[in-house]
Amino acid sequence: MDYVPIPKAGRLWYSKADFFRPFRTATGATAGENIIPLYDPALYCEAVDEPDLKDLNTALATLVDIFPDVEPETFREILSNLSESSRVEIVTEQMLKNDAKKSRKTLRKLPPPETTAKRRPRLGSQITLPTADTFRSESYKKAVKQVLYQEFKNLSHSSVKAVMAEQNYSYTQSRPVLQQLAAKSWRFSLSSIWPRRSPSVAAGEHPNVMIGSSSTDQIIGVRRTGSAQLDQELHDLFVTPALQQRRQEQLAADFALASQLNDTEAKETETLFDCECCYGSVTFEQLAICDDNYHQLCFECVRRSVNEALYGQGWSQSIDLQKTTLRCFASADQTCHGRLPGAVVRRALAEPGAEEDTWNELQNRMASEALVKSGLRLQRCGLCNYAEVDEVPSLKLRTAYGILTHIVTRSSATLQIMLLFLTAATILITAPLILIACLVWMLITLVPPVAAVTNASWSRVYKQRRGLKFECRNPTCSKISCIRCTATWRDPHVCFESEKTSLRTAIESSATAAVKRTCPRCLLSFVKASGCNKLVCNCGYTMCYICRQEVTSKEGYRHFCQHFRPSGGRCGECERCDLYGAEDEEAAIRKATQTAEKMWREKEGGRQGDTHTTQLMVEALVSQRGHGRWYEGLLDAVVEALAA
């Protein structure tokens, strides 16, 4: 792509329509020469992929939907080397035959919060895949390469190509990596001393982003790169944020001007109102009135009261949790029980110049306080303030066919054998079984202890069906967390992974310390593999492997037992160490690991504030959860088979 400088003098565009027309160079080139058209987002249409590229992306989306925990890059490498026929079938068979874990290159990264809450479509529906993970067209790759060459001139072309290949030729993902490389490059340090930028591109601007002025305002646009997809990507990355910021600034300026004109007009007509908190004069539009004694309060005092309630000591005095709004705080009447309407409080907090998230923080805290006072059993999101009522639904029985299908296909062998015997017994003695079933149902219905045991079993079955994954439905969070460890959910998920690593490290260190010996002179650690128990260190120090006592040259082998024992075993005549006897290393390791595990449990139990969370963590890491009473497993299997 040719580089065309922009002339310094003269006006380039006289209107917005002229800005989106092709412009020429300052040298007065003839028509059709060195014309650089600008990208118009209103005329953008999704580029139609090539037939083979479209088939590759469809196969890639299908494979990612079948194997969601495998990185799409793995499938792209496999699909690029296969023929057009039966791509999906070949890759699926290879993944299942060789075990998908062996074929994984890396675990797939967790998607952004806004895409986490969206459920993956079924195989029968239209499958969508992020654009950054799909196969890219040659025109897009070429355009991205040219743009990155122009933007990062201080980097070599080989570095740019390598980063593009790592990021699947995505401009949005390659640019931050190249910026980090450019900041560390020696060329960047030299260019910062002797800047050699083109006169047409100002410092800090993108070479493909053009800025010009019209008769009314400043216009910004993107030069066409030859790829409509890259043009739209550059427009969304650079132009759209600038336009949004410009719009916000314009709205703030318009609001300030309108407020100034409104204040001037109110002063001229003498229609100002006095605030009964700060006693300042404000217009009617900046006034909030309580619903009891109709006290007049200005928006500035409302904002100060909300900030004091949120970040100070005025929560209990200023907030009414029953009506979830702000109490009247007029200084003239301290006994007023009025409330400010929630819509007025929101309008006061939403004005330009105020904190944008103050209203949301106020609503979240009031909701949290109300939920705590409700006394309901809640299941909270581990990553935000969202909470749901943790209630177990009523028990619904499956149909007879559903019960039989579940036992035959999904239940344990014990329950299946029991079903076989029950079927045979039913054929022989149907009436007694019906009577027993009626008695059991009556016990469950009429006897509270039996009903409590059944409800507890159903609660365990329901929680096992629900799993540990919790999907937050808060629009501002929309993340998936673990119910047990409250950490962000990642497939495959391991609860208390860091604590598990610390426990394993403690146990391994204790096991190693139980069998190793250390020379007290040179501090060399070693383990005896074979030979006698008289050990000589490299520094010349001699010690006993069993009792760790120094063996002097004068004492020598007399440190060890000298009595003859035809039948072996422990010497009954002296208490000296055996020359060739070895200690029970397995028992020493077992004792050391038990001591280390006990110390770790005491340490973690004292550090965690929540006893229930600590118990769950220890059970998940040490795997010593109690199995309960002997009949709970069988009762849970029966309830699992009967419950719908």
Side-chain angles (χ1 to χ4, degrees):
M1 181 181 295
D2 296 333
Y3 181 77
V4 180
I6 301 177
K8 295 182 179 180
R11 181 177 294 180
L12 293 178
W13 302 284
Y14 295 91
S15 65
K16 187 175 181 179
D18 295 335
F19 178 76
F20 285 104
R21 294 175 183 172
F23 60 92
R24 302 177 182 176
T25 62
T27 58
T30 59
E33 296 181 0
N34 298 329
I35 295 177
I36 304 177
L38 296 180
Y39 171 71
D40 188 0
L43 303 178
Y44 172 75
C45 58
E46 189 71 23
V48 180
D49 296 336
E50 301 175 1
D52 186 50
L53 189 63
K54 185 177 181 181
D55 295 340
L56 284 173
N57 287 328
T58 303
L60 177 62
T62 305
L63 291 172
V64 170
D65 188 74
I66 297 175
F67 303 99
D69 56 339
V70 180
E71 190 72 23
E73 182 182 356
T74 304
F75 294 125
R76 287 199 303 268
E77 295 177 358
I78 299 176
L79 291 174
S80 60
N81 298 324
L82 295 178
S83 59
E84 183 178 357
S85 60
S86 304
R87 288 171 174 165
V88 178
E89 292 79 2
I90 294 175
V91 177
T92 304
E93 183 180 359
Q94 180 181 357
M95 296 289 290
L96 296 177
K97 182 185 298 183
N98 299 335
D99 189 2
K101 294 182 180 179
K102 298 180 181 179
S103 302
R104 293 174 189 160
K105 190 171 184 179
T106 54
L107 291 178
R108 194 177 184 188
K109 297 180 180 179
L110 190 68
E114 59 270 12
T115 60
T116 306
K118 300 179 181 178
R119 297 183 181 273
R120 186 178 297 277
R122 296 181 179 178
L123 295 178
S125 60
Q126 185 179 2
I127 301 173
T128 58
L129 190 67
T131 308
D133 295 335
T134 59
F135 288 92
R136 299 305 185 111
S137 61
E138 294 298 330
S139 60
Y140 177 81
K141 296 179 182 179
K142 183 178 180 181
V144 171
K145 182 172 64 176
Q146 295 298 330
V147 170
L148 292 178
Y149 283 172
Q150 284 188 343
E151 185 176 0
F152 300 96
K153 295 181 180 180
N154 57 329
L155 294 178
S156 62
H157 289 187
S158 60
S159 300
V160 176
K161 292 179 181 179
V163 173
M164 289 173 56
E166 292 175 1
Q167 305 298 330
N168 192 26
Y169 300 94
S170 173
Y171 176 81
T172 306
Q173 298 180 359
S174 300
R175 187 170 184 267
V177 181
L178 291 174
Q179 286 178 338
Q180 296 179 359
L181 293 178
K184 300 177 182 179
S185 175
W186 61 272
R187 299 181 182 179
F188 178 78
S189 59
L190 294 179
S191 63
S192 61
I193 301 175
W194 297 289
R196 300 178 58 185
R197 294 183 177 271
S198 175
S200 62
V201 180
E205 293 184 359
H206 193 276
N208 282 72
V209 178
M210 312 298 294
I211 300 178
S213 300
S214 67
S215 58
T216 57
D217 57 357
Q218 194 178 27
I219 307 175
I220 185 171
V222 176
R223 298 167 57 183
R224 292 187 181 178
T225 60
S227 173
Q229 186 178 3
L230 180 58
D231 294 340
Q232 182 65 29
E233 196 171 348
L234 291 174
H235 188 276
D236 296 339
L237 190 61
F238 297 103
V239 179
T240 301
L243 295 178
Q244 292 178 353
Q245 182 180 2
R246 187 177 302 170
R247 177 176 176 81
Q248 295 295 332
E249 295 175 354
Q250 184 64 38
L251 288 176
D254 293 345
F255 181 82
L257 180 60
S259 300
Q260 183 180 1
L261 294 176
N262 190 27
D263 293 343
T264 304
E265 183 180 357
K267 290 179 182 178
E268 293 176 355
T269 57
E270 297 181 357
T271 56
L272 294 175
F273 298 85
D274 294 335
C275 173
E276 298 186 37
C277 178
C278 64
Y279 298 102
S281 299
V282 294
T283 60
F284 179 77
E285 289 77 13
Q286 298 290 320
L287 204 64
I289 301 175
C290 74
D291 56 0
D292 189 6
N293 295 326
Y294 306 104
H295 293 121
Q296 300 174 2
L297 303 169
C298 65
F299 281 3
E300 184 65 26
C301 292
V302 171
R303 286 192 287 268
R304 284 200 298 264
S305 298
V306 172
N307 289 331
E308 178 64 23
L310 288 176
Y311 311 113
Q313 304 294 328
W315 177 262
S316 59
Q317 183 180 358
S318 303
I319 302 300
D320 184 8
L321 294 178
Q322 292 183 354
K323 295 186 178 180
T324 62
T325 186
L326 192 66
R327 289 193 177 99
C328 178
F329 49 88
S331 58
D333 187 3
Q334 298 292 339
T335 60
C336 180
H337 300 286
R339 308 291 184 270
L340 298 182
V344 178
V345 176
R346 183 173 186 178
R347 187 158 60 90
L349 298 177
E351 285 190 355
E355 295 292 336
E356 297 181 357
D357 297 334
T358 305
W359 171 255
N360 294 330
E361 291 182 8
L362 178 62
Q363 292 294 312
N364 291 336
R365 183 165 178 182
M366 287 191 298
S368 299
E369 295 285 345
L371 288 174
V372 170
K373 287 191 174 183
S374 66
L376 297 175
R377 184 179 179 183
L378 303 175
Q379 180 62 57
R380 295 184 177 273
C381 174
L383 307 173
C384 71
N385 295 328
Y386 179 79
E388 293 180 354
V389 178
D390 189 12
E391 57 180 359
V392 180
S394 58
L395 178 62
K396 296 182 180 179
L397 299 180
R398 302 176 187 264
T399 61
Y401 179 76
I403 295 174
L404 181 61
T405 304
H406 179 85
I407 294 177
V408 173
T409 59
R410 302 181 61 181
S411 295
S412 59
T414 304
L415 192 59
Q416 293 178 359
I417 295 174
M418 290 183 62
L419 176 64
L420 182 61
F421 281 104
L422 288 176
T423 304
T426 304
I427 297 175
L428 298 176
I429 45 173
T430 306
L433 289 178
I434 296 176
L435 182 59
I436 293 174
C438 294
L439 291 175
V440 171
W441 181 259
M442 291 177 63
L443 287 174
I444 295 174
T445 307
L446 301 178
V447 181
V450 179
V453 172
T454 307
N455 293 333
S457 176
W458 164 236
S459 178
R460 291 192 299 270
V461 171
Y462 171 75
K463 291 182 179 180
Q464 183 179 3
R465 289 183 181 179
R466 182 183 60 184
L468 298 177
K469 186 184 294 186
F470 181 79
E471 297 184 7
C472 182
R473 299 182 183 178
N474 186 0
T476 60
C477 178
S478 301
K479 297 179 181 179
I480 300 179
S481 59
C482 179
I483 293 176
R484 179 191 292 171
C485 63
T486 67
T488 304
W489 187 274
R490 297 178 183 272
D491 290 324
H493 180 75
V494 179
C495 290
F496 306 103
E497 188 172 3
S498 60
E499 289 82 356
K500 196 170 187 177
T501 304
S502 66
L503 173 60
R504 185 175 64 251
T505 304
I507 292 178
E508 291 177 353
S509 301
S510 301
T512 304
V515 296
K516 75 175 183 178
R517 301 292 185 268
T518 303
C519 176
R521 179 182 297 176
C522 63
L523 302 181
L524 176 66
S525 298
F526 51 87
V527 177
K528 189 191 76 170
S530 61
C532 66
N533 291 326
K534 181 182 178 183
L535 302 180
V536 181
C537 183
N538 296 333
C539 64
Y541 183 82
T542 305
M543 62 180 295
C544 176
Y545 185 79
I546 296 179
C547 66
R548 298 174 177 84
Q549 181 180 348
E550 181 183 5
V551 180
T552 61
S553 58
K554 181 179 180 180
E555 183 179 13
Y557 284 98
R558 287 181 297 174
H559 174 81
F560 302 97
C561 178
Q562 305 294 326
H563 299 95
F564 178 71
R565 288 168 283 175
S567 58
R570 187 69 180 173
C571 179
E573 300 181 13
C574 67
E575 296 294 336
R576 296 182 181 182
C577 301
D578 294 336
L579 181 61
Y580 286 96
E583 66 174 355
D584 192 356
E585 294 185 355
E586 294 184 358
I589 293 175
R590 191 181 306 110
K591 182 179 179 180
T593 54
Q594 291 176 357
T595 305
E597 179 182 332
K598 181 180 179 181
M599 294 177 61
W600 181 87
R601 292 167 72 104
E602 294 176 354
K603 178 182 177 182
E604 294 295 332
R607 188 176 62 184
Q608 299 290 336
D610 190 358
T611 307
H612 180 64
T613 304
T614 305
Q615 182 181 1
L616 290 177
M617 182 186 67
V618 174
E619 290 173 352
L621 301 185
V622 187
S623 299
Q624 291 185 353
R625 173 174 296 185
H627 297 284
R629 296 179 175 85
W630 62 272
Y631 59 85
E632 288 185 357
L634 182 59
L635 183 59
D636 291 349
V638 174
V639 173
E640 171 72 17
L642 297 178

